[in-house]
Amino acid sequence: MSEADPLDIQATFDAQLATALAWRTSTAQQRLRRIRRLRDAMMAQREAFYAAFAQDYRKPPAEVEASEFLPVMDEIRHALGRLKRWMKPRTVWPTTTMLGTRASVQYQPRGRVLIVAPWNYPLSLCFGPLVSALAAGNTAIIKPSEMTPAVSALMGRIVASVFPANEVALFEGSQPTSRVLLELPFDHIFFTGSPAVGKLVMAAAARHLASVTLELGGKSPSIVDASANLKLAAETLMWGKFLNNGQTCVAPDHVYVHASVKDAFVDACRAVLQQRYGAGPAAQKASADLARVVNRRHTQRLASLLADAQQRGARLLAGGEVDEDQCYIAPTLLDRIPAGAAILSEEIFGPLLPIIGYTELDQVIAAINAAPKPLALYVWSTDRRAVGKVLEQTSSGGACVNHCVAHFAHGNLPFGGVNNSGMGSAHGEYGFKAFSHERAVLRASPLMLIKLFFPPYTGRRTGLMRTIVDALRLPML
């Protein structure tokens, strides 16, 4: 893939300035028209997307629908129904010291924004944030991943057919193109990717004091306790883990299972894998329902994690087959993984699932808290006290109880990480706010009580200020 011309990038960025200024006063109807045009152009290329995803990493059409089209369409539908409400200035009540004033919060477009999307869900994680950016009234430059060239090229054609470059533009390329883009003084950067690259993006944004939304990753743990519905847990966890062949930022990275139910849980997981993908290695490799690892380099990385774990004594419970030439790794379950194995410290991002037995929930909570804060945490239990303990004593970007991954699709929930797993939130109104500046607007009234604080500071005026400050120690009514 060739790199984008830096002169073209600069010219496009410059051209978007006038548009961004004009769009500050854009109406909800104008913004929604842009979103509808994007929707219609995307849906017109449905079959072309099937072919592009198949070309890039053999993603099944059903998963293209469920994990690429569905999230974008839901984002669009949400914006079409709620944008007028989101844009409306929000009136706020005065605090005690501001009696006599009127105040509101006004939502302004940030301006020119950059969206840097990853390869694992290239359509959803590119056009989803774009919908939020357009809803908030911004221009946008998009940088998709070079690792999914067929999908990226198709998205580029769609963007060019719908928008002039001074409104929305897409530039293909690899790291050199990304570096050129990150040198520009965007008003906001929305990045989805790894924590390591997220730090570089944040450092680049800091040079221009640009705001950022960072959707990162990490090792998202799952807990299956002794009270859990094991069949349902196995069915759902095997879906969440092996969707997109494990290449999902919120996929369960590893599972802590209570020792008393571990064998039964493993048996249930094996049964699910055989039912969905085939009874043996050959059938699973031939399954049309398994995507491939995105490229050979990532296949080799995953194969290395698997080999390292096995060499250290890990036991293979299912899968384990590797074909680097076809970027194939079978759905794999492992246990008895010793401390020091790389698979326990590195984000897996593939079809390898460590299963770790435990006896005390406190030990699991301590292990989760000793690691960087994950993007997601999943707990399977019918014990309300145990669920409450996990949720109260751990921190993660999001969490699911007796479910996994699905919180990403809930448009009324903020989706995002915390610390190492991200910064800021996306989806629905949260996505609209991510691309908006919440401007505080205060309006004076004829009463103008602030005059009580004007000089000269006489003894009487100073005494009045002391009385007001002392009154603030009282509880709010």
Side-chain angles (χ1 to χ4, degrees):
M1 175 182 291
S2 60
E3 301 299 327
D5 186 340
L7 295 178
D8 288 344
I9 292 175
Q10 183 68 59
T12 300
F13 179 76
D14 292 342
Q16 287 193 357
L17 177 58
T19 306
L21 293 174
W23 280 9
R24 282 184 182 173
T25 56
S26 58
T27 64
Q29 290 80 3
Q30 291 170 328
R31 298 179 187 184
L32 293 176
R33 277 198 295 271
R34 296 174 199 130
I35 293 172
R36 289 191 187 97
R37 294 204 311 270
L38 176 66
R39 176 197 63 190
D40 295 345
M42 181 185 79
M43 294 302 291
Q45 298 295 327
R46 202 172 197 162
E47 298 295 329
F49 272 114
Y50 289 172
F53 275 102
Q55 180 179 337
D56 281 338
Y57 59 107
R58 231 182 82 171
K59 187 165 184 170
E63 288 193 5
V64 175
E65 289 288 341
S67 64
E68 301 284 358
F69 276 96
L70 189 150
V72 179
M73 292 299 290
D74 191 52
E75 199 75 62
I76 290 172
R77 181 184 175 89
H78 205 169
L80 294 180
R82 304 288 180 85
L83 181 58
K84 290 181 181 179
R85 187 184 313 173
W86 296 344
M87 289 177 62
K88 186 177 180 180
R90 177 169 54 89
T91 300
V92 297
W93 287 100
T95 57
T96 303
T97 54
M98 286 291 105
L99 291 173
T101 64
R102 293 180 295 123
S104 62
V105 178
Q106 178 187 51
Y107 296 96
Q108 290 189 312
R110 290 194 179 272
R112 293 174 291 181
V113 306
L114 172 64
I115 297 170
V116 182
W119 52 264
N120 58 326
Y121 291 94
L123 175 59
S124 172
L125 298 178
C126 181
F127 281 5
L130 178 58
V131 171
S132 295
L134 293 171
N138 300 280
T139 66
I141 290 179
I142 306 164
K143 166 59 178 69
S145 174
E146 71 279 8
M147 294 188 195
T148 49
V151 175
S152 295
L154 180 53
M155 291 191 298
R157 293 193 294 272
I158 289 172
V159 167
S161 72
V162 174
F163 301 103
N166 68 328
E167 296 181 355
V168 180
L170 183 148
F171 289 103
E172 296 181 71
S174 58
Q175 290 184 5
T177 297
S178 296
R179 284 195 292 268
V180 172
L181 288 166
L182 290 173
E183 288 294 324
L184 298 173
F186 284 96
D187 296 297
H188 187 76
I189 299 175
F190 190 106
F191 171 79
T192 306
S194 69
V197 180
K199 293 175 182 178
L200 300 177
V201 171
M202 192 170 181
R207 292 195 292 269
H208 304 291
L209 295 180
S211 55
V212 295
T213 302
L214 302 177
E215 300 289 353
L216 309 178
K219 296 180 70 63
S220 296
S222 298
I223 303 170
V224 178
D225 78 1
S227 73
N229 181 328
L230 299 183
K231 183 176 184 293
L232 184 61
E235 289 175 343
T236 314
L237 282 167
M238 293 304 95
W239 164 73
K241 178 60 181 180
F242 298 110
L243 173 72
N244 207 40
N245 206 14
Q247 299 165 120
T248 303
C249 59
V250 288
D253 185 272
H254 50 287
V255 184
Y256 295 101
V257 184
H258 195 274
S260 65
V261 297
K262 180 169 172 283
D263 289 343
F265 175 74
V266 170
D267 288 342
C269 291
R270 285 196 189 106
V272 171
L273 293 177
Q274 292 175 6
Q275 177 189 16
R276 291 180 183 171
Y277 304 119
Q284 291 187 1
K285 188 175 182 180
S287 173
D289 297 326
L290 270 174
R292 291 295 183 256
V293 181
V294 70
N295 57 33
R296 187 181 179 92
R297 178 170 64 86
H298 280 274
T299 307
Q300 291 172 338
R301 179 186 64 82
L302 290 163
S304 176
L305 290 178
L306 176 59
D308 172 72
Q310 290 183 283
Q311 289 166 8
R312 293 173 183 267
R315 179 174 65 157
L316 200 63
L317 300 174
E321 293 78 27
V322 176
D323 185 336
E324 292 184 5
D325 292 335
Q326 294 192 29
C327 296
Y328 174 77
I329 295 182
T332 299
L333 307 179
L334 296 160
D335 78 343
R336 297 181 184 173
I337 302 172
I343 201 170
L344 294 180
S345 58
E346 295 182 21
E347 183 177 6
I348 297 171
F349 221 69
L352 309 176
L353 182 63
I355 296 177
I356 305 166
Y358 78 92
T359 55
E360 297 295 333
L361 184 59
D362 287 339
Q363 296 174 340
V364 176
I365 291 173
I368 292 171
N369 287 335
K373 295 176 183 177
L375 185 57
L377 183 149
Y378 308 121
V379 55
W380 294 83
S381 174
T382 56
D383 183 339
R384 291 186 178 182
R385 294 179 67 180
V387 171
K389 184 174 184 177
V390 171
L391 295 179
E392 289 171 2
Q393 297 186 15
T394 63
S395 177
S396 63
C400 293
V401 178
N402 296 322
H403 214 324
C404 66
V405 177
H407 65 296
F408 175 89
H410 198 308
N412 288 326
L413 285 175
F415 178 79
V418 54
N419 295 131
N420 190 72
S421 57
M423 179 181 299
S425 299
H427 299 175
E429 186 173 9
Y430 299 96
F432 168 81
K433 289 184 176 181
F435 286 101
S436 299
H437 168 58
E438 296 183 72
R439 185 190 209 181
V441 179
L442 184 141
R443 291 179 171 85
S445 72
L447 190 58
M448 285 295 285
L449 293 177
I450 195 68
K451 290 182 179 180
L452 296 173
F453 295 88
F454 290 175
Y457 300 127
T458 63
R460 182 179 179 183
R461 190 156 292 184
T462 300
L464 176 62
M465 293 179 191
R466 286 174 60 92
T467 300
I468 293 173
V469 170
D470 289 341
L472 292 176
R473 293 183 299 180
L474 299 175
M476 179 177 283
L477 298 178

